[in-house]
């Protein structure tokens, strides 16, 4: 029996993970759950799974809760890290949102766990530290991101030197066919209406700006040790081909499937085994035809180039991009920033990041300082722009 802890259990990935595990109770057991503040939702999941431990990271939330099911409840960031390194746990699913997930990622890998990583921000912000933690602790990093899961599946049994190029696919998001003027007026509700994937608010907005794809290029760079020049992105609106790998002999492999996160979750939980699952065997080639591909319009989606540029700059630059992006997404969702202003603020922050801020990532403190600096800089840049003339919600 494989014992699983789900960090960020009440989000979209957390819920999907629970559904997958409920179909495979003969192999997996949820032993612990963690979420930021939704005590009631976690209580429901404790009843569903029989988890023995639950962590609510936000202080005070537990105290305000009513009657809770029997389970060892605790609160705070330290309790979250303890779950990630718990000797009674085999697989840590990190589905936290944002760079706050870095601590848990490092703790799980240092403790030698399998880390099923949906929290791409931790790899983007602290890539060198994450790789060092895996090497030092013997932990195994398996992505729960459809593109990176696809690449991992294509690389199965291949030698690293055989890989010539990775091509990540992007759905293009809800604004793929909008012109710049329409995008200038885009509201949060419109950005949250993703054409092919059902996901949480942060990643859905990131998919609308294509910041998500920049984060994924950086994620692929660290996960697979491929230089940025050999990672490309193509827009594929049907979200059926999840990525391509081109090999040195010109052969190209791709992984296909309907857009359903349960597949990469199941693959990460069972890696490298493939676990039979009839519920996921719904693919019909006739129903997904035609499959189309197009380039990214970098002018309409400037956060993509800004993010990849930060990745190429290296050091703490991706952490700065990621933190500033988290701030502007909140700014957009709360009606303080227009859709195009998100990229403008992030660009301002990256321009202001001089060599004193962008430096090598040697310790967690380097990442945390860069992250805090970027959040402050983005907040100030937003402040300086003043209130928006009309609310966007
Ligand atoms: Mg993805």
């Amino acid at each position: 029996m494989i014992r699983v802890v789900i960090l960020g259990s009440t989000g979209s990935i957390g819920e999907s993970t629970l559904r997958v595990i409920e179909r495979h109770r003969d192999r997996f057991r949820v032993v612990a759950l963690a979420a930021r503040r939704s005590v009631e939702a976690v209580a429901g999941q404790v009843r569903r799974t029989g988890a023995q431990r639950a962590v609510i990271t936000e202080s005070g939330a537990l105290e305000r809760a009513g009657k809770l099911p029997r389970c060892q409840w605790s609160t705070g960031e330290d309790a979250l890290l303890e779950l990630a390194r718990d000797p009674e746990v085999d697989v840590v699913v990190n589905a936290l949102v944002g760079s706050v997930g870095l601590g848990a990622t490092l703790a799980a890998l240092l403790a030698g766990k399998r880390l099923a990583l949906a929290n791409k921000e931790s790899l983007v912000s602290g890539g060198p530290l994450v790789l060092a933690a895996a090497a030092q602790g013997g932990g195994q990093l398996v992505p729960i991101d459809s593109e990176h899961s696809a690449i991992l599946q294509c690389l199965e049994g291949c030698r690293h030197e055989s890989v010539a190029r990775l091509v990540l696919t992007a759905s293009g998001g809800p604004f793929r066919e909008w012109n710049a003027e329409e995008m200038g007026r885009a509201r949060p509700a419109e950005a949250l209406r993703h054409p092919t994937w059902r996901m949480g608010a942060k990643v859905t907005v990131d998919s609308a700006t294509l910041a998500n794809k920049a984060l994924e290029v950086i994620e692929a760079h660290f996960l697979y040790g491929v230089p940025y020049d050999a990672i490309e992105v193509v827009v594929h609106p049907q979200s059926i081909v999840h990525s391509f790998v081109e090999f040195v002999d010109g052969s190209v492999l791709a992984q296909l499937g309907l857009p359903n996160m349960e597949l990469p979750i199941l693959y990460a939980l069972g890696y490298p085994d493939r676990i039979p699952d009839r519920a996921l065997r719904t693919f019909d080639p006739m129903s997904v035809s035609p499959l189309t591909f197009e380039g990214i319009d970098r002018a309409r989606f400037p956060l993509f180039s800004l993010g990849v540029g930060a990745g190429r700059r290296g050091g703490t630059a991706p952490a700065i991009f990621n933190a500033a992006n988290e701030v502007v997404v909140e700014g957009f969702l709360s009606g303080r920033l227009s859709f195009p202003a998100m990229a403008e603020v992030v660009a301002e922050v990256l321009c202001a990041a001089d060599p004193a801020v962008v430096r090598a990532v040697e310790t967690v403190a380097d990442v945390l300082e860069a992250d805090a600096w970027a959040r402050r800089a983005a907040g100030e840049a937003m402040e300086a722009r003043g209130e928006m003339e009309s609310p966007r919600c």
Side-chain angles (χ1 to χ4, degrees):
M1 190 64 80
I2 297 174
R3 300 162 298 181
V4 181
V5 51
I6 307 174
L7 311 179
S9 64
T10 56
S12 168
I13 293 288
E15 278 290 339
S16 297
T17 305
L18 286 177
R19 279 197 298 278
V20 168
I21 290 179
E22 275 167 355
R23 289 204 299 276
H24 298 280
R25 289 180 196 275
D26 54 326
R27 289 173 196 263
F28 303 110
R29 185 158 54 89
V30 177
V31 294
L33 300 159
R36 194 160 44 154
R37 66 169 82 91
S38 357
V39 184
E40 286 305 317
V42 174
Q45 293 179 334
V46 166
R47 291 187 194 99
R48 243 168 97 184
T49 59
Q52 297 130 11
R53 297 175 65 183
V55 169
I56 302 294
T57 48
E58 198 173 274
S59 64
L62 261 189
E63 289 73 7
R64 291 191 297 272
K67 189 167 165 18
L68 296 169
R70 259 172 82 97
C71 169
Q72 188 189 325
W73 291 87
S74 38
T75 192
E77 295 286 332
D78 289 346
L80 186 79
L81 300 186
E82 258 170 54
L83 280 192
R85 59 170 87 97
D86 188 331
E88 300 292 307
V89 165
D90 304 303
V91 177
V92 176
V93 176
N94 184 350
L96 299 167
V97 177
S99 60
V100 67
L102 178 61
T105 287
L106 296 176
L109 291 171
L110 282 170
K113 309 292 181 198
R114 170 177 305 163
L115 175 67
L117 185 66
N119 175 250
K120 66 190 85 179
E121 294 94 335
S122 58
L123 193 54
V124 167
S125 293
L129 301 175
V130 174
L131 299 184
Q136 189 189 330
Q140 184 183 38
L141 182 53
V142 187
I144 298 185
D145 200 344
S146 58
E147 297 79 0
H148 305 75
S149 177
I151 292 167
L152 183 64
Q153 294 177 56
C154 293
L155 291 177
E156 204 56 46
C158 296
R159 277 206 287 271
H160 187 263
E161 54 271 30
S162 310
V163 176
R165 186 167 60 122
L166 308 179
V167 182
L168 277 67
T169 55
S171 70
F175 304 141
R176 183 175 62 90
E177 293 179 301
W178 291 34
N179 64 36
E181 194 205 332
E182 291 165 331
M183 287 169 72
R185 294 192 302 264
R187 295 157 184 265
E190 293 165 322
L192 290 172
R193 217 173 288 142
H194 197 278
T196 50
W197 293 98
R198 296 282 155 268
M199 308 176 290
K202 160 73 168 46
V203 63
T204 306
V205 173
D206 284 347
S207 297
T209 61
L210 294 192
N212 180 55
K213 212 46 61 176
L215 296 175
E216 291 186 350
V217 167
I218 300 169
E219 184 186 5
H221 167 76
F222 285 119
L223 273 176
Y224 301 115
V226 172
Y228 286 103
D229 283 339
I231 306 176
E232 285 171 32
V233 174
V234 64
V235 173
H236 168 46
Q238 297 84 16
S239 301
I240 299 295
V241 176
H242 298 307
S243 278
F244 301 92
V245 177
E246 185 190 22
F247 294 91
V248 288
D249 60 358
S251 183
V252 179
L253 294 187
Q255 186 262 343
L256 283 70
L258 296 180
N260 181 349
M261 286 310 293
E262 291 186 20
L263 206 155
I265 289 169
L266 180 64
Y267 189 71
L269 291 176
Y271 181 81
D273 296 336
R274 288 195 182 272
I275 297 171
D277 190 323
R278 294 206 73 82
L280 292 176
R281 292 189 55 198
T282 50
F283 186 73
D284 170 12
M286 309 302 262
S287 73
V288 299
S289 174
L291 300 178
T292 60
F293 302 92
E294 58 197 67
I296 284 185
D297 181 348
R298 289 172 180 257
R300 281 190 303 130
F301 299 100
L303 275 169
F304 174 74
S305 301
L306 287 169
V308 175
R312 286 178 182 273
R313 197 168 162 191
T316 51
I320 289 166
F321 169 77
N322 177 66
N325 182 57
E326 286 183 30
V327 172
V328 297
V329 168
E330 273 178 36
F332 172 66
L333 287 174
S334 64
R336 289 182 65 200
L337 284 180
S338 70
F339 189 83
M342 284 191 279
E344 291 163 19
V345 168
V346 171
E348 234 176 274
V349 172
L350 285 168
C351 283
D354 57 31
V357 191
V358 179
R359 52 173 194 261
V361 172
E362 282 161 5
T363 64
V364 176
D366 293 329
V367 176
L368 297 182
E369 276 168 33
D371 184 286
W373 178 87
R375 282 171 202 277
R376 212 167 38 242
E380 284 166 10
M382 272 167 59
E383 207 69 22
R385 300 173 72 91
E387 294 295 314
M388 279 189 32
E389 282 165 17
S390 62
R392 299 273 172 180
C393 300

